[in-house]
Amino acid sequence: MSSKKIYFLLPNRIYASDGIRSSLGQAVENHYANSVIMNGEFPRFSEYVKENISWVRDMEGDVLTCGAPSPEGLEDALTEITIEELGERLREADIIIPYGLPKQTKTPPPACAE
């Protein structure tokens, strides 16, 4: 089986950590897996998420941010790209996965708002 270029598009921060972990799973399966955090919807970057990002990069994948600069302290972990650069990369992709559900239109309860 040949390696494929896979892109996980993560428009909702609630699913970003799982999307990064899924990207890591595909990288372990010998694919070139990339996660794209869209619109500045950054998850909480716990040590677990930072380790997953590091592992994805070690396996020749990448975690990209499109639409907003990287948060403070993570400039080296995330690669900033423009929407035009993302479009060029997606043209070369074998598989594109829009990951997670779209943002809700209603305000979540306070306990779920983070």
Side-chain angles (χ1 to χ4, degrees), residues 29-78:
E29 291 293 326
N30 246 3
H31 297 295
Y32 298 102
N34 301 283
S35 293
V36 183
I37 300 171
M38 311 283 292
N39 309 322
E41 288 285 326
F42 298 110
R44 288 189 183 139
F45 288 99
S46 64
E47 287 303 313
Y48 175 74
V49 174
K50 289 177 186 176
E51 283 179 16
N52 286 346
I53 291 171
S54 176
W55 287 344
V56 167
R57 295 186 94 186
D58 287 346
M59 296 182 157
E60 298 182 27
D62 206 354
V63 178
L64 311 160
T65 175
C66 182
S70 300
E72 239 181 84
L74 290 170
E75 294 87 0
D76 295 337
L78 304 176

Side-chain angles (χ1 to χ4, degrees), residues 107-114:
T107 306
C112 300
E114 294 181 358

